[in-house]
Amino acid sequence: MRLFLYISISFYFFISLLFAEETRQVDKHEHGVSELNIAIQSNTMVLEFMIPGADIVGFEYEAKSEQDKATVNAALTKFDDYNNIFIIPTNSKCLLVSSKININQEDDHDEHQEEAHNEFYAKYTFECGDIKSLDLLEFPYFETFSNYGELEVQFVSEIGSTSFEVEADNPIINIEGKI
Ligand SMILES: [Zn+2]
């Protein structure tokens, strides 16, 4: 009973974080470490990525030159098609119902551009016809972006939570039996 209560509280706490407005300070991140939160509730799955700009485009100052803007826009366009980032098994019948993709740029308090930080933020919400059949999630993210770092995954469903560290040499997680 106590364990169940603990899981329930952390689940709803986590869900409330996922659905809250983004308030994270981007300068707290570590270059080479991207974060992914996955939350499953009922037939809904939410994936939320927070990836340092250094890991995507190789810089984190605000793009001002035409070349840098083009680089950033090309990266954002890749996030628009989630299949560039992750692949969901088709038998789970998951359909994308909403997404939010942007860059959280740290306020530039000074002119020292090398100290600026930003993050790519991408959140995808799916409704799934057979959510319990979800097993392997693959991450073509590592092929899409050449500056990739490791991906730290926090996973939560109504039966508990777990975490994964994903790297390019084995870009897969297995969530079978965790939903
Ligand atoms: Zn940074």
Side-chain angles (χ1 to χ4, degrees):
M1 191 61 195
R2 188 171 292 172
L3 179 65
F4 175 75
L5 194 62
Y6 170 73
I7 288 172
S8 298
I9 289 169
S10 35
F11 175 71
Y12 288 108
F13 178 67
F14 187 85
I15 290 291
S16 66
L17 283 181
L18 265 189
F19 291 99
E21 278 302 301
E22 180 64 15
T23 53
R24 192 182 137 88
Q25 286 182 283
V26 299
D27 61 346
K28 297 287 193 292
H29 67 202
E30 182 182 340
H31 296 175
V33 180
S34 303
E35 293 179 38
L36 165 60
N37 295 323
I38 304 174
I40 291 178
Q41 183 179 29
S42 187
N43 293 318
T44 304
M45 175 167 66
V46 179
L47 293 94
E48 181 187 46
F49 290 83
M50 287 148 286
I51 307 178
D55 294 21
I56 299 287
V57 294
F59 61 85
E60 296 194 355
Y61 53 81
E62 189 173 354
K64 289 185 175 133
S65 72
E66 290 306 313
Q67 188 181 353
D68 286 348
K69 283 181 185 170
T71 302
V72 167
N73 285 334
L76 288 170
T77 300
K78 286 177 180 168
F79 278 98
D80 282 338
D81 180 358
Y82 70 84
N83 286 296
N84 290 321
I85 314 299
F86 55 93
I87 297 172
I88 300 173
T90 53
N91 59 357
S92 60
K93 301 184 178 71
C94 293
L95 294 175
L96 185 68
V97 292
S98 69
S99 63
K100 179 182 175 187
I101 294 152
N102 60 31
I103 295 179
N104 291 327
Q105 182 73 48
E106 182 187 40
D107 291 336
D108 203 1
H109 293 299
D110 54 42
E111 295 301 312
H112 300 289
Q113 290 195 328
E114 66 276 11
E115 293 181 6
H117 293 272
N118 68 16
E119 284 184 343
F120 283 72
Y121 176 85
K123 179 174 168 182
Y124 307 89
T125 303
F126 293 86
E127 291 292 333
C128 303
D130 186 9
I131 203 160
K132 288 194 189 296
S133 74
L134 281 169
D135 47 19
L136 300 181
L137 298 183
E138 294 177 52
F139 296 96
Y141 160 74
F142 295 99
E143 290 176 14
T144 299
F145 298 111
S146 55
N147 292 298
Y148 63 79
E150 70 173 48
L151 197 57
E152 289 189 347
V153 184
Q154 297 292 327
F155 174 90
V156 65
S157 73
E158 287 164 89
I159 64 169
S161 60
T162 188
S163 61
F164 304 89
E165 281 193 8
V166 188
E167 294 184 335
D169 59 353
N170 187 25
I172 291 172
I173 64 171
N174 188 352
I175 55 173
E176 188 174 12
K178 301 184 192 300
I179 298 163

